[in-house]
Amino acid sequence: MRRRIVAGNWKMNGSQSLVNELVGLVAQQVRELGMEAVVFPPALYVSAVIQAADNAMAVGVQNVSEKAQGAYTGELSAPMAADVGCRYGLVGHSERRQLFGETDVQVAVKTEQLLSAGLNAIVCVGETLEQREAGQAEATVATQVRDGLSKVTPEQWGQIVVAYEPIWAIGTGKTATGEDAQAMHKAIRGVLANMGAPAESISLLYGGSVKADNAAALFAEPDIDGGLIGGASLSATDFVSICQALPADTHC
């Protein structure tokens, strides 16, 4: 059975008071649900979140360097993330691609760094509205999957999670229909299979304005194994409601 995961990406939001107010409450609910949840706070709060989560949730970093160490002021490495207790890293988020010019080549190297450090990598892929309207959505995402995961070895596929996040649906309030999201997830699984990956055992998450009122319909699709949640992860009530939307028989 594939792992079912709900992951919360705080982006550049958060404070010590948010950690104190939110993490313990969410961790308690997640523990009672018996499911896998991950939270990606800003790097400054990672250690505090790990402590507050008390092993009920996994914690990850939102970005890592392409280098393992060295004179790279302001960067943080995958080995450092593992050293402080992180279990995940986020790679290739659309904001990294659009705002910072991150390429598929860089995504591949950063993924390699995470895997080599023993971390799980949630690798993000997704098309723009222009690409979708031009009929290029599946081709665009297929290229991102193939190139971004090009350095994964056969032994490392168990550390890979892919998150499909249509760029036009992130923070806009728009969400892909369950049918559209399922079609892309199925296509991604096909690309993984063609790469020689154990496609049926790799978790695929949907990200793009997932909320409590649409999560259940999305998670009911056969190839959607959970969600990568943005703004709703900053609310304990909303995030827990999304976690509760995972079908009960798929909780770990």
Side-chain angles (χ1 to χ4, degrees):
M1 181 181 294
R2 294 192 295 270
R3 294 150 60 198
R4 298 294 294 251
I5 302 167
V6 175
N9 176 18
W10 289 9
K11 307 187 181 183
M12 199 174 72
N13 299 292
S15 63
Q16 188 62 57
S17 63
L18 180 68
V19 173
N20 296 339
E21 294 165 6
L22 184 145
V23 177
L25 178 59
V26 172
Q28 178 182 351
Q29 295 296 314
V30 164
R31 183 179 280 113
E32 291 176 2
L33 286 169
M35 57 165 296
E36 184 170 2
V38 187
V39 62
F40 293 94
L44 287 171
Y45 300 112
V46 160
S47 293
V49 172
I50 289 173
Q51 183 175 0
D54 192 28
N55 294 317
M57 297 189 296
V59 180
V61 287
Q62 297 175 11
N63 183 44
V64 294
S65 173
E66 297 163 64
K67 308 293 184 181
Q69 63 180 17
Y72 304 101
T73 301
E75 292 289 277
L76 62 90
S77 71
M80 290 175 182
D83 186 48
V84 300
C86 288
R87 289 163 50 193
Y88 279 83
L90 198 61
V91 191
H93 191 279
S94 62
E95 290 160 1
R96 297 296 311 175
R97 294 176 187 267
Q98 290 194 301
L99 300 177
F100 301 97
E102 196 162 287
T103 66
D104 290 333
V105 172
Q106 289 174 296
V107 170
V109 174
K110 291 182 178 187
T111 300
E112 182 181 37
Q113 286 288 330
L114 288 169
L115 302 183
S116 296
L119 297 170
N120 298 291
I122 297 184
V123 182
C124 302
V125 298
E127 81 283 3
T128 65
L129 180 61
E130 291 75 19
Q131 289 166 330
R132 172 163 283 272
E133 290 180 341
Q136 300 170 348
E138 285 196 11
T140 297
V141 170
T143 297
Q144 291 173 345
V145 172
R146 284 192 298 265
D147 292 353
L149 300 178
S150 61
K151 295 181 179 294
V152 180
T153 67
E155 298 77 22
Q156 293 173 328
W157 284 113
Q159 296 168 252
I160 291 293
V161 176
V162 178
Y164 168 58
E165 42 164 25
I167 296 171
W168 47 271
I170 299 172
T172 63
K174 298 180 180 178
T175 308
T177 65
E179 184 179 76
D180 285 342
Q182 164 59 22
M184 185 63 81
H185 281 68
K186 183 177 180 180
I188 290 170
R189 215 173 287 286
V191 173
L192 290 168
N194 289 336
M195 294 175 66
E200 291 303 318
S201 65
I202 294 175
S203 297
L204 306 183
L205 311 182
Y206 174 77
S209 296
V210 179
K211 295 181 172 56
D213 61 1
N214 61 23
L218 289 164
F219 296 165
E221 296 292 344
D223 285 296
I224 299 179
D225 304 309
L228 177 59
I229 316 303
S233 68
L234 298 170
S235 161
T237 301
D238 290 346
F239 191 67
V240 168
S241 294
I242 292 169
C243 289
Q244 292 171 333
L246 277 179
D249 62 351
T250 64
H251 291 169
C252 299

